[in-house]
Amino acid sequence: VVWKTTDPDVATVENGVVTFVEAGTCQIIASTLYGGYSATCEVTVTSDPTPLQEVYAMTTALNLKQEEYTVESWGPYAEAYANAAKVLAVQNPKQRDINAASQALWDAYNNLEKYIKIQNVLITYNGNDTITHVTQGVGLAANYTNSSVALGYRILPSNATWASVSWSSSNSSVA
């Protein structure tokens, strides 16, 4: 008897032992060497979408909102979420596609970075918060032109998400 498969990407056969490779359908054919007899058996290999369904359901149930996360971390998450939905919409998708989509969604979810809104910015002088202004004393005989002070800032909360601080003066003739 000679064994063969119509699709080795779905299942292989050797000496009558069928090994499942990937989701899909194929025929396993047993043929005699003499007499021209053969028999065919249809084999359907189904994938297991459970890992992807679980991650997808968990992230869906969390009702995550884009505005609560940084743009840099939300983009990959949204892409992985959309791809997971596409894979789940396919009838009997390839297991490797299920596994890859599940891992990508899990990784993207774990890499989400919360956007923490700035609540306040304070100007500091000599390491202390200023209230409304900074005063720089200049001696009577000293020239105050080109005199300077080093100001700093403090963001509240300290773990807020921010990219930069820009400085400006309300009176350009003074500072």
Side-chain angles (χ1 to χ4, degrees):
V1 174
V2 176
W3 294 92
K4 67 180 183 176
T5 178
T6 58
D7 191 345
D9 290 336
V10 174
T12 61
V13 61
E14 188 173 327
N15 297 323
V17 177
V18 177
T19 302
F20 306 120
V21 177
E22 186 60 89
T25 301
C26 70
Q27 282 75 44
I28 302 297
I29 304 164
S31 302
T32 60
L33 289 174
Y34 305 105
Y37 298 101
S38 67
T40 302
C41 174
E42 185 171 282
V43 173
T44 300
V45 179
T46 57
S47 56
D48 180 11
T50 305
L52 181 55
Q53 288 170 335
E54 289 174 351
V55 175
Y56 189 81
M58 183 268 303
T59 56
T60 300
L62 291 172
N63 197 26
L64 302 174
K65 295 180 178 25
Q66 180 177 355
E67 62 273 8
E68 295 177 359
Y69 297 91
T70 63
V71 172
E72 297 80 12
S73 69
W74 185 262
Y77 170 76
E79 184 178 324
Y81 188 84
N83 184 55
K86 286 180 187 175
V87 171
L88 288 171
V90 173
Q91 184 176 2
N92 201 26
K94 301 291 186 191
Q95 192 66 45
R96 66 178 167 263
D97 294 340
I98 291 169
N99 296 344
S102 177
Q103 188 63 53
L105 182 55
W106 183 250
D107 290 346
Y109 167 73
N110 283 315
N111 288 321
L112 280 173
E113 183 181 330
K114 275 280 200 184
Y115 177 81
I116 301 170
K117 186 177 178 182
I118 295 175
Q119 297 174 0
N120 200 357
V121 61
L122 302 171
I123 294 177
T124 60
Y125 176 58
N126 291 334
N128 298 312
D129 295 343
T130 61
I131 304 299
T132 57
H133 65 278
V134 173
T135 302
Q136 176 67 28
V138 179
L140 290 176
N143 182 355
Y144 64 87
T145 304
N146 296 326
S147 178
S148 63
V149 295
L151 301 176
Y153 59 88
R154 192 162 63 98
I155 302 291
L156 298 176
S158 61
N159 63 340
T161 306
W162 57 281
S164 65
V165 172
S166 59
W167 294 88
S168 63
S169 173
S170 62
N171 185 340
S172 61
S173 65
V174 175

